Amino acid sequence: MAEMRFGNRLRLGLLVTFILFFAGVGSVLAQSGPAAENPAVSLRAKYAALQDKLGNSPFQRPLYMDSGDNGNELRGEIHAVVDNPFVTAASALKDASAWCDILSLHLNIKYCRTQTHHFRRVLLVYIGRKFEQPLEKATPVEFTFGTVESVPGYLRVVLNALEGPFGTQDYKIQLEAVPVERDRTFIRLSYAYETSLMAKLAMQCYLNTLGTNKIGFTVIGSKSDGRPVYTGDMRGVVERNTMRYYLAVEAYLNTLSVTEDRRLDARLQNWFAATERYPLQLHEIDQAAYLAMKHREYRRQVARP
């Protein structure tokens, strides 16, 4: 009986030791993992590490792009410095309605409205073609909006959508920002989503027909005459859209000081002019057609509940 009690105590002691040991390991892992990493410090370190690339950017501005295609997930990421004070940028970008103004500059965004569902802030977005079309022919996508962190010296905003057009899923647009010298702001904008077989087939069909000449920004080689060869296919698609969304953020920030009655025109013209700096990748329609389409979409958005 004494042996049994001793055995029970021994097993109990080993169990407690086991639990405490792994609880301790878990604590250490949690402290040493991403959760313990200060995101503002991490982003400033990224800014320091990218000084050479930002200063010698092929974009002729302090901007660096990266992208990836792992077969299922497509990802684009831009690091850039904008000539806007952090306080001004952060105050504007943590507002959900600002993101409707931003996203609507993109050619493919036909409609955007903020809503509240079960205490969650949501952006109802309709994604369609690059030309004008009835809203019924566009695809509704619901983005959950979250200001994950908004503290002095750091901002992170995340937009998530479980489903997208053509069977795509797990859309995420994430923006982080920190102040840097000369009253400017360093931004990281990432855009990612997962593709399905149907989505890949649809996009490949487009790239093999209407999108034959579509290219991205990453140089993957050179031609015999020395001219660069740019990435195409799915990676090119995600790079073009990442750039369009980044330029929309920039256009929004650059027109904050414009009076409200002129702000829409200023944003549209700012965004279109910015995309035309990269005509090989981003040119689709002329300015008059773009402005007319977006003004009609804006009137529809205002009129529609």
Side-chain angles (χ1 to χ4, degrees), residues 8-214:
N8 288 338
R9 286 198 299 271
L10 179 61
R11 284 191 291 273
L12 181 60
L14 288 172
L15 178 60
V16 171
T17 302
F18 180 86
I19 292 171
L20 290 174
F21 172 76
F22 279 95
V25 169
S27 177
V28 170
L29 289 174
Q31 291 174 12
S32 62
E37 188 175 300
N38 186 315
V41 171
S42 175
L43 192 55
R44 290 193 191 98
K46 188 68 173 180
Y47 172 66
L50 287 176
Q51 284 301 295
D52 184 58
K53 288 184 171 65
L54 292 171
N56 298 283
S57 172
F59 297 98
Q60 305 300 311
R61 58 198 302 197
L63 187 151
Y64 171 70
M65 174 181 280
D66 189 21
S67 66
D69 177 2
N70 68 6
N72 291 322
E73 184 188 56
L74 287 162
R75 174 191 57 82
E77 189 169 81
I78 284 177
H79 293 82
V81 178
V82 295
D83 290 323
N84 306 95
F86 172 78
V87 172
T88 302
S91 176
L93 295 175
K94 68 182 181 181
D95 180 9
S97 61
W99 283 89
C100 264
D101 292 333
I102 290 167
L103 298 180
S104 294
L105 296 173
H106 194 302
L107 285 162
N108 293 105
I109 304 302
K110 306 284 107 182
Y111 175 93
C112 180
R113 184 175 293 278
T114 58
Q115 301 175 338
T116 301
H117 289 172
H118 306 295
F119 306 103
R120 295 182 301 117
R121 199 67 170 149
V122 168
L123 273 65
L124 177 60
V125 177
Y126 279 74
I127 300 176
R129 306 293 296 273
K130 292 183 176 71
F131 50 80
E132 198 165 346
Q133 64 181 153
L135 202 56
E136 293 72 23
K137 292 187 178 297
T139 303
V141 177
E142 189 174 275
F143 284 92
T144 298
F145 176 86
T147 307
V148 181
E149 291 193 46
S150 178
V151 296
Y154 179 72
L155 172 74
R156 179 166 65 209
V157 173
V158 179
L159 283 73
N160 285 314
L162 294 178
E163 297 179 354
F166 301 111
T168 54
Q169 58 190 7
D170 291 336
Y171 273 79
K172 178 181 283 187
I173 299 173
Q174 178 172 286
L175 180 140
E176 295 177 273
V178 291
V180 292
E181 69 279 355
R182 297 197 296 276
D183 213 17
R184 299 186 299 170
T185 302
F186 180 58
I187 286 176
R188 170 162 57 202
L189 179 77
S190 60
Y191 169 67
Y193 60 93
E194 291 189 5
T195 58
S196 64
L197 178 60
M198 183 178 75
K200 288 179 181 177
L201 291 174
M203 185 54 67
Q204 203 57 57
C205 179
Y206 166 74
L207 292 171
N208 291 335
T209 53
L210 297 175
T212 303
N213 298 318
K214 298 293 184 182

Side-chain angles (χ1 to χ4, degrees), residues 207-252:
L207 292 171
N208 291 335
T209 53
L210 297 175
T212 303
N213 298 318
K214 298 293 184 182
I215 56 173
F217 292 91
T218 298
V219 177
I220 57 173
S222 60
K223 298 179 181 179
S224 58
D225 59 3
R227 288 183 299 163
V229 175
Y230 295 97
T231 186
D233 294 335
M234 299 297 288
R235 192 176 171 194
V237 172
V238 77
E239 286 189 355
R240 290 193 297 275
N241 276 322
T242 303
M243 180 63 85
R244 287 184 175 115
Y245 284 126
Y246 168 74
L247 294 176
V249 170
E250 192 177 68
Y252 178 83

